[in-house]
Amino acid sequence: MDTSHLAEHAGAASSFFASIFVVATLSMRTMIPLRVFGILTNIILLASAIPTHNYPTLLLHSVLLPLNAYRLHQMLQLVRDVKKSVNSDLSMEWLKPFMTERKCAAGEALFYKDEQADSMFYIVSGRFILVESGIELPVGAIVGELGMLSPSNARTQTLECIEAGLVLSVSYTQVEELYVQNPAFGFYFLRLASARLFENIAKLEQRLAQRTAPAAAAPA
């Protein structure tokens, strides 16, 4: 059997296995397995295109292979960063690649109490305060994420800029897409949001205790 026949048989076998991987890829519902099977499909189709000199297929999958590999790395890094954040300082810097910049002037309100919530914010610089509770948020804080989990999606407080600064915003739609694409991300995001909720409750209890202490000491 000459080399041309070998190339034809090799190409046919590779195409058959690639077809299986394509079908498996279409059946994937979450992003990480989808990217893994996409990478395997790219490799097999590249292998089948080389002996048959199928240059369009070679070109296409030479582009798709590094793209799939990069997206897989990005998603795995996202999950690792969320895990680290849950177990450390509750930072949400891992969302930065998915966020857009917004400059804020002093006196500007980013959102008002009771309005519909559709995004969350990460504070890069400046000073911001939650008006109703009087809590000033530090640089590196994220605000507005609990509105995503609220049944009514309503803001519970007003957020006002008291010193010009920069925030990053991400829509709930984008977070929901990440949540659906990657169950591990969704699980750790819920843990992170729950931890922030308990942190906020602890702060309010501390403020309440500070206010009631002088009143309790007054009769004495």
Side-chain angles (χ1 to χ4, degrees), residues 73-103:
H73 166 76
Q74 189 178 40
M75 188 59 68
L76 291 173
Q77 184 64 46
L78 179 65
V79 174
R80 283 194 295 268
D81 289 346
V82 176
K83 289 180 181 179
K84 184 189 298 183
S85 184
V86 169
N87 294 321
S88 58
D89 61 354
L90 301 183
S91 170
M92 286 195 177
E93 289 204 15
W94 39 269
L95 268 179
K96 278 186 176 180
F98 305 93
M99 305 177 96
T100 55
E101 289 188 1
R102 174 177 170 179
K103 294 181 179 179

Side-chain angles (χ1 to χ4, degrees), residues 129-157:
I129 190 170
L130 294 169
V131 176
E132 286 75 15
S133 64
I135 297 175
E136 184 174 334
L137 301 173
V139 170
I142 196 154
V143 60
E145 80 280 10
L146 295 179
M148 179 179 175
L149 305 176
S150 168
S152 60
N153 288 124
R155 300 290 189 190
T156 58
Q157 298 193 63

Side-chain angles (χ1 to χ4, degrees), residues 96-104 121-122 124-125 165-170:
K96 278 186 176 180
F98 305 93
M99 305 177 96
T100 55
E101 289 188 1
R102 174 177 170 179
K103 294 181 179 179
C104 302
F121 302 91
Y122 179 92
V124 178
S125 63
L166 178 71
V167 299
L168 301 176
S169 65
V170 60

Side-chain angles (χ1 to χ4, degrees), residues 32-73:
I32 289 180
L34 177 63
R35 293 297 181 188
V36 170
F37 272 87
I39 289 170
L40 293 175
T41 302
N42 296 147
I43 292 172
I44 291 175
L45 287 174
L46 282 170
S48 67
I50 291 172
T52 58
H53 304 290
N54 189 340
Y55 297 112
T57 299
L58 276 171
L59 178 62
L60 174 63
H61 290 279
S62 295
V63 174
L64 291 178
L65 178 58
L67 178 61
N68 275 324
Y70 172 74
R71 293 300 186 190
L72 176 62
H73 166 76

Side-chain angles (χ1 to χ4, degrees), residues 4-24:
S4 62
H5 285 88
L6 285 173
E8 288 178 6
H9 286 296
S14 299
S15 297
F16 172 74
F17 286 111
S19 299
I20 294 175
F21 276 102
V22 169
V23 173

